Amino acid sequence: MSATDYIHQHLLEQASPTRAALSRSFFKTNPGDYGDGNQFLGLTVPQIRALLPETDALCLEEVLVLLHSVWHEERLLALLIIVRRFEKARNDVPTREEIVKLYLENLPWVNNWDLVDSSAPHVLGTWLLTHDRSILDELAASSCLWEQRAAIVATLTLIRNQEFDDTLRLCAGLISHPHHLIHKACGWMLREIGRRDEIKLSFFLDRYAVAMPRTMLRYALEKLPQPDRRHYMNLRRMTAKE
């Protein structure tokens, strides 16, 4: 039995059809939904994380087998392995570069919001703290929803390091995006900026609140004082009526 077969068998032994059905509903897997085609074994994230210490001997090719799995939980495990190895290679730039390259080449399999959010800030975001960031604009301009979400969510690491400009630029460019998962991601990042610099967020909202999708704006306003939240929501409502 191969290492990946062993991991699959271990996950299968813990599978729960009831939880799998709930996951299919939660992650919107009906035809035409954003998670269309995702398949679930029915495991919790702690169950998946518990396997991480047993994966250290896997080569990257074996990790990719997991990442290319039809099972959502195996793809999540692969991404947690990638994050773990990236973090361990803190002082090994060539290894980190190899991992980032592998991650970007395989973004089509990072195909749900939890997979993106569990990996993009930790791998791509951390890498971009000290490297060229043009990849953010490339991903944001992609026709792939998950690449676009990876671009904006990766900037969470930049935000945590008091660097806001890339996030603000991407959010401005994605205001007219049609999908609520991008609205939520942008609103989330704007909220994180506001937690650190209300003035910076206010400048952005003064310019863009009237055009922002309602969900994006509500997420962005969550941590602002109530009078500010009311002001920007009323501003948007008045403009919408006109």
Side-chain angles (χ1 to χ4, degrees), residues 60-233:
L60 283 178
E61 288 74 16
E62 290 171 317
V63 176
L64 284 181
V65 171
L66 293 173
L67 185 56
H68 296 172
S69 170
V70 299
W71 299 108
H72 185 100
E73 291 91 343
E74 290 187 349
R75 296 198 299 281
L76 176 57
L77 176 60
L79 290 165
L80 294 176
I81 294 169
I82 288 169
V83 169
R84 176 182 171 93
R85 294 191 179 183
F86 184 83
E87 291 175 345
K88 283 188 171 183
R90 186 178 303 275
N91 299 314
D92 186 346
V93 174
T95 296
R96 281 196 155 191
E97 185 172 16
E98 179 185 12
I99 292 172
V100 170
K101 183 173 182 290
L102 178 145
Y103 180 73
L104 291 171
E105 288 175 347
N106 288 277
L107 274 175
W109 286 275
V110 188
N111 60 350
N112 215 309
W113 59 263
D114 65 316
L115 303 180
V116 173
D117 298 358
S118 297
S119 57
H122 307 290
V123 177
L124 183 57
T126 300
W127 179 256
L128 294 180
L129 284 171
T130 54
H131 292 82
D132 178 71
R133 299 176 186 175
S134 59
I135 186 64
L136 290 175
D137 296 282
E138 293 176 28
L139 293 175
S142 168
S143 60
C144 173
L145 173 67
W146 308 118
E147 291 185 356
Q148 293 174 317
R149 185 169 174 106
I152 189 63
V153 174
T155 68
L156 178 59
T157 305
L158 306 182
I159 293 169
R160 288 172 173 167
N161 283 269
Q162 300 298 124
E163 298 185 31
F164 308 138
D165 290 348
D166 293 286
T167 307
L168 295 171
R169 183 183 71 257
L170 294 180
C171 287
L174 291 168
I175 278 178
S176 61
H177 195 284
H179 205 286
H180 72 278
L181 286 178
I182 299 300
H183 303 167
K184 289 180 178 180
C186 288
W188 171 21
M189 294 304 110
L190 290 170
R191 181 182 69 211
E192 291 301 312
I193 290 174
R195 290 177 61 186
R196 294 160 175 83
D197 190 333
E198 283 190 14
I199 293 175
K200 183 78 76 171
L201 175 59
S202 295
F203 280 148
F204 183 89
L205 294 174
D206 288 343
R207 181 173 181 182
Y208 293 109
V210 296
M212 289 169 67
R214 185 179 182 85
T215 298
M216 185 189 298
L217 182 57
R218 281 197 173 277
Y219 271 56
L221 297 177
E222 281 182 354
K223 298 300 181 181
L224 291 183
Q226 179 62 32
D228 292 338
R229 297 202 302 271
R230 188 181 303 112
H231 164 72
Y232 287 114
M233 290 304 298

Side-chain angles (χ1 to χ4, degrees), residues 35-54:
D36 187 355
N38 272 223
Q39 298 184 51
F40 292 84
L41 291 167
L43 286 92
T44 65
V45 174
Q47 285 176 312
I48 297 167
R49 285 189 177 277
L51 266 178
L52 277 174
E54 300 183 44

